[in-house]
C-alpha cells in the first residue's frame, strides 16, 4: 500500500508526503470528511511511513512487517467499544504512549470515529494533546467534527478530505473491482468508496428498493406497502436507502417522480428527529403513491 494506491484526495497526499520529506511531523492531526472516503486508509499509510525504518515497504523492514501483521509495538489504533470511546480506553492509551518507542523512532496513535469519545474521554485526551511526548503522533479521525470539543480541535492540525469525484469512482470500480457497478450506485455513493462497496455487498436490499420504485405506478396502495417491507425492516440504514431513492427518482427525470423527492427529504428529517418510524415510512409511501400512481 502507498498513497498512490488510494483513490482521490491528492491534496492530502501532497500535504502528508511533504510533511514526511521535510521531517516536519506534528503531534496531532484531525482527519475530517464524509464516512468511507479513505480517511483511515490514509492515516494507516501515513503511520506506516512515519514508523518505517527502511524508507520503503519491503520484507526487510521489520517495522512495515510488524505493522502488516498488526503486531507493531509503536502503533495503536483506538476504536469505539459499544459505540463510544470511553475514558478508560484513553487512559490505557496514555499509559502506553508514555513508554518510549521500541521498534521505530516514533509512536503513532490513530483514533477512529474520534467523535464518539465521551466528554470525559475528550477532556482526558486533552492532557496528552497539550503535552505530547516528543516522539508521538496522534491522528484523530472523524466524519462528525461538530461533536468534538473546541479545545480538542484547536490542538490538532485539520486535514480535510473531499468526496471522490464520480469519474474517479467509476475508474476505481472498473480497474480495481472489475465488476459492473450500476450507475445509480455510483451516484448514490456520494463520493465514498466505502459506501459504494457496502451497497455492492448489500445489492439485494437495493434491488428490492428498485423494484418498489419501478412498480409503484402500476399497483394499488396495499401492494405498494407490501413491496416496501425492506424500508420497514432496514431501520439502521434507512438514511442511505432514502438517499438512494432520491438518486433513482432523480434519474427518471419524470416530473411526477421528481416531485416526490421533497417527501423523501421530509421523511429523512422526521426520522432523524425520532418520529415514530413506521409512521414516517407510511407517510412517505402514501405520498409517493399519490403522486406517482394516481396522477
Ligand atoms: Zn518500512
Amino acid at each position: 500500500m502507498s498513497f498512490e494506491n488510494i483513490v482521490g484526495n491528492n491534496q492530502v497526499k501532497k500535504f502528508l508526503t511533504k510533511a514526511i520529506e521535510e521531517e516536519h511531523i506534528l503531534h496531532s492531526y484531525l482527519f475530517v470528511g464524509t464516512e468511507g472516503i479513505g480517511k483511515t486508509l490514509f492515516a494507516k499509510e501515513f503511520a506506516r511511513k512515519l514508523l518505517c525504518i527502511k524508507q520503503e515497504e519491503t520484507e526487510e523492514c521489520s517495522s512495515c512487517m510488524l505493522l502488516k501483521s498488526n503486531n507493531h509495538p509503536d502503533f495503536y489504533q483506538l476504536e469505539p467499544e459499544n459505540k463510544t470511546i470511553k475514558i478508560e480506553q484513553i487512559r490505557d492509551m496514555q499509559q502506553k504512549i508514555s513508554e518510549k518507542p521500541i521498534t521505530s523512532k516514533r509512536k503513532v496513535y490513530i483514533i477512529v470515529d474520534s467523535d464518539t469519545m465521551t466528554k470525559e474521554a475528550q477532556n482526558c485526551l486533552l492532557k496528552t494533546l497539550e503535552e505530547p511526548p516528543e516522539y508521538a503522533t496522534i491522528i484523530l479521525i472523524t466524519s462528525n467534527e461538530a461533536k468534538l470539543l473546541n479545545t480538542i480541535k484547536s490542538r490538532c492540525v485539520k486535514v480535510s478530505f473531499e468526496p471522490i469525484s464520480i469519474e474517479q469512482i467509476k475508474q476505481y470500480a472498473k480497474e480495481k473491482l472489475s465488476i459492473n457497478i450500476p450507475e445509480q450506485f455510483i451516484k448514490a455513493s456520494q463520493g465514498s468508496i466505502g459506501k459504494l462497496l457496502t451497497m455492492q455487498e448489500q445489492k439485494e436490499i437495493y434491488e428490492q428498493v428498485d423494484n418498489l420504485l419501478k412498480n409503484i405506478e402500476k399497483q394499488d396502495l396495499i401492494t405498494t406497502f407490501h413491496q416496501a417491507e425492506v424500508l420497514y425492516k432496514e431501520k439502521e440504514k434507512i438514511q442511505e436507502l432514502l438517499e438512494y431513492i432520491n438518486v433513482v427518482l432523480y434519474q427518471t427525470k419524470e416530473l411526477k417522480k421528481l416531485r416526490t423527492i421533497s417527501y423523501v427529504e421530509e421523511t429523512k428529517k422526521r426520522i432523524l428527529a425520532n418520529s415514530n418510524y413506521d409512521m414516517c415510512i407510511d407517510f412517505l409511501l402514501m405520498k409517493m403513491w399519490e403522486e406517482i400512481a394516481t396522477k
Side-chain angles (χ1 to χ4, degrees):
M1 180 61 76
S2 76
F3 285 141
E4 288 67 48
N5 294 331
I6 311 177
V7 191
N9 283 293
N10 293 330
Q11 285 308 105
V12 177
K13 283 176 197 167
K14 271 186 208 151
F15 174 73
L16 297 179
T17 309
K18 200 167 170 230
I20 292 170
E21 281 168 2
E22 294 177 354
E23 291 185 42
H24 186 61
I25 314 298
L26 304 165
H27 289 296
S28 33
Y29 294 90
L30 178 63
F31 284 14
V32 181
T34 324
E35 236 168 87
I37 53 176
K39 298 184 298 296
T40 308
L41 269 181
F42 267 88
K44 282 187 182 163
E45 175 55 15
F46 188 45
R48 188 196 63 74
K49 285 183 193 283
L50 292 178
L51 296 170
C52 184
I53 46 182
K54 291 269 189 208
Q55 310 301 326
E56 58 176 332
E57 193 175 6
T58 66
E59 295 204 353
E60 281 95 67
C61 177
S62 55
S63 171
C64 286
M65 290 302 116
L66 282 167
L67 198 65
K68 214 175 181 177
S69 60
N70 289 323
N71 285 315
H72 204 299
D74 306 321
F75 176 80
Y76 194 64
Q77 182 170 323
L78 211 70
E79 279 169 17
E81 287 171 8
N82 286 327
K83 296 190 176 165
T84 58
I85 296 175
K86 296 165 190 70
I87 189 165
E88 292 76 22
Q89 290 172 269
I90 300 294
R91 286 203 181 117
D92 183 36
M93 164 187 152
Q94 281 169 328
Q95 212 210 318
K96 290 194 180 103
I97 213 169
S98 62
E99 298 158 7
K100 289 223 159 72
I102 299 170
T103 305
S104 303
K105 281 194 207 137
R106 310 191 64 90
K107 283 187 119 165
V108 182
Y109 288 76
I110 297 182
I111 306 181
V112 178
D113 292 332
S114 61
D115 49 272
T116 64
M117 279 189 285
T118 62
K119 232 185 190 148
E120 294 75 34
Q122 293 195 41
N123 278 317
C124 183
L125 177 68
L126 200 55
K127 278 177 242 152
T128 310
L129 296 180
E130 279 165 353
E131 285 173 34
E134 162 262 320
Y135 48 78
T137 292
I138 302 171
I139 306 169
L140 280 75
I141 299 176
T142 182
S143 50
N144 197 352
E145 198 188 349
K147 280 194 174 166
L148 287 168
L149 297 176
N150 285 331
T151 42
I152 293 266
K153 286 187 271 192
S154 68
R155 295 279 161 191
C156 302
V157 167
K158 181 169 159 180
V159 182
S160 297
F161 286 72
E162 301 295 329
I164 299 158
S165 73
I166 300 257
E167 281 315 309
Q168 278 176 313
I169 290 210
K170 271 190 192 162
Q171 205 183 347
Y172 172 85
K174 212 171 103 191
E175 286 170 11
K176 298 277 155 81
L177 306 177
S178 50
I179 33 170
N180 234 342
I181 297 204
E183 184 81 15
Q184 67 265 32
F185 278 18
I186 291 175
K187 289 204 170 130
S189 70
Q190 296 172 299
S192 155
I193 288 189
K195 276 188 195 162
L196 182 73
L197 294 175
T198 314
M199 291 172 84
Q200 186 63 23
E201 266 166 35
Q202 304 176 333
K203 225 161 67 191
E204 289 85 36
I205 294 177
Y206 290 91
E207 278 165 4
Q208 289 177 52
V209 176
D210 283 338
N211 284 335
L212 169 72
L213 296 173
K214 207 162 60 197
N215 296 332
I216 201 164
E217 52 196 318
K218 323 180 237 191
Q219 57 201 19
D220 59 34
L221 187 58
I222 301 295
T223 322
T224 301
F225 275 120
H226 281 307
Q227 274 215 331
E229 208 191 320
V230 60
L231 298 184
Y232 291 98
K233 229 170 54 189
E234 299 292 338
K235 259 190 195 182
E236 289 287 318
K237 54 185 307 147
I238 190 66
Q239 295 295 333
E240 281 94 335
L241 291 180
L242 293 175
E243 186 50 42
Y244 180 72
I245 289 178
N246 271 348
V247 171
V248 177
L249 290 170
Y250 188 76
Q251 269 188 331
T252 66
K253 308 268 186 247
E254 290 173 48
L255 192 60
K256 60 182 182 180
K257 290 188 178 168
L258 292 176
R259 252 192 242 126
T260 62
I261 289 179
S262 65
Y263 297 117
V264 182
E265 286 303 321
E266 196 178 330
T267 308
K268 279 188 191 173
K269 280 186 208 144
R270 286 182 179 205
I271 291 173
L272 283 177
N274 282 326
S275 304
N276 179 292
Y277 184 82
D278 285 356
M279 276 164 70
C280 291
I281 304 293
D282 290 347
F283 161 84
L284 175 66
L285 290 171
M286 228 141 68
K287 286 295 176 190
M288 283 178 70
W289 184 81
E290 274 173 21
E291 285 288 343
I292 298 172
T294 65
K295 283 181 186 167

